[in-house]
Amino acid sequence: MTDQAIENQLREILKVQGKVAVAAAAIGPDDDLYGLGLSSLATVNVMLEIEARFDIAFPDDALTRATFQTLGGLAALVRRQLGAAAAA
């Protein structure tokens, strides 16, 4: 899966599950997702949808506000977890 495909899916998840206040296509890799309206409760829904969509699990040490702060951070985590799953 390409980096762009991962980011596009994450944008869709953030729009639907995260209820961010901008169009999905307008979410930049370094935008503060909490500043765009992501709440703590919505973060849980975003995490669950990411796990289901990409068939990955969030490691315990990634369950921090910083992980969910930006699209770029989420994309990096998804790429790491997909790589770990492929190597297993």
Side-chain angles (χ1 to χ4, degrees):
M1 180 174 290
T2 68
D3 289 349
Q4 189 63 45
I6 290 170
E7 288 184 10
N8 287 342
Q9 287 194 43
L10 289 172
R11 283 183 180 96
E12 180 183 321
I13 291 168
L14 288 164
K15 185 63 181 168
V16 174
Q17 299 296 329
K19 301 183 184 342
V20 294
V22 297
I27 301 170
D30 298 320
D31 290 347
D32 179 355
L33 298 176
Y34 293 102
L36 296 178
L38 183 65
S39 69
S40 297
L41 179 59
T43 299
V44 174
N45 294 331
V46 166
M47 181 195 70
L48 293 173
E49 183 62 24
I50 290 171
E51 288 184 330
R53 176 97 45 112
F54 294 100
D55 194 26
I56 61 171
F58 273 68
D60 289 344
D61 63 353
L63 299 177
T64 67
R65 183 178 175 95
T67 298
F68 294 88
Q69 192 79 38
T70 65
L71 173 73
L74 285 172
L77 177 103
V78 169
R79 284 191 298 272
R80 279 193 308 274
Q81 293 308 104
L82 288 173

